[in-house]
Amino acid sequence: MSIDFQKEKERIELKHSTYVGSIGIYMEFSEGIEDAAFQYYLYDGIRKEEAVNFIPSMFSSIVEDQMKDQKSLEIERNLFRISNKEYVFDIYVYDDNTFLFDWNPKLDELDAALLLYYAWINLSQ
């Protein structure tokens, strides 16, 4: 039997935090990212102004985690793979007001970063 220490660490972290709500992101576009239309679904008490703050923080957290010793993150991916589906990000908060998040396992880290990046741009317009 092998133990996935990263999954075990995540399970322990989630156990010592409080679930506060979820943000669903749906990105739809036909030909290019400039045509993208975003819909946001806020679950269990997350407010719009919180989503505006959480999304760039989630993006930054994923990028920081993925980059490690690299100088840049190579995100050259086909956006059609992650469009036209709702992806839900669950938000958890610790007692010291720091947060962590979890999402649908069908979305890998780089796709999550890509989705959050474009959502962040959309929200900042």
Side-chain angles (χ1 to χ4, degrees):
M1 177 174 99
S2 65
I3 297 172
D4 183 338
F5 288 104
Q6 181 62 30
K7 289 285 181 204
E8 192 63 19
K9 178 183 164 211
E10 291 168 5
R11 187 185 66 76
I12 291 168
E13 285 178 343
L14 291 177
K15 190 174 178 182
H16 294 291
S17 61
T18 304
Y19 170 78
V20 295
S22 299
I23 300 170
I25 302 174
Y26 183 91
M27 177 180 65
E28 178 180 20
F29 68 100
S30 54
E31 299 200 16
I33 191 61
E34 62 277 356
D35 303 325
F38 284 84
Q39 294 175 349
Y40 303 95
Y41 303 95
L42 307 177
Y43 300 105
D44 301 320
I46 294 286
R47 295 186 305 272
K48 185 173 182 180
E49 58 274 11
E50 290 175 319
V52 169
N53 292 326
F54 273 130
I55 287 175
S57 299
M58 292 188 309
F59 168 70
S60 298
S61 175
I62 291 177
V63 168
E64 184 179 317
D65 189 52
Q66 289 294 305
M67 283 189 63
K68 299 197 177 28
D69 295 330
Q70 301 176 57
K71 290 191 173 156
S72 67
L73 200 60
E74 300 294 329
I75 306 180
E76 298 275 332
R77 293 190 162 204
N78 184 346
L79 288 175
F80 283 112
R81 294 178 320 127
I82 61 172
S83 65
N84 304 318
K85 294 183 196 111
E86 180 188 359
Y87 293 101
V88 177
F89 295 83
D90 298 319
I91 312 294
Y92 299 85
V93 175
Y94 293 117
D95 290 338
D96 65 359
N97 286 330
T98 58
F99 82 98
L100 64 108
F101 60 99
D102 194 20
W103 68 86
N104 185 321
K106 292 180 181 172
L107 190 67
D108 72 19
E109 282 86 0
L110 291 178
D111 282 341
L114 206 57
L115 179 64
L116 290 167
Y117 173 71
Y118 286 112
W120 180 12
I121 290 172
N122 175 259
L123 286 172
S124 65
Q125 293 177 348

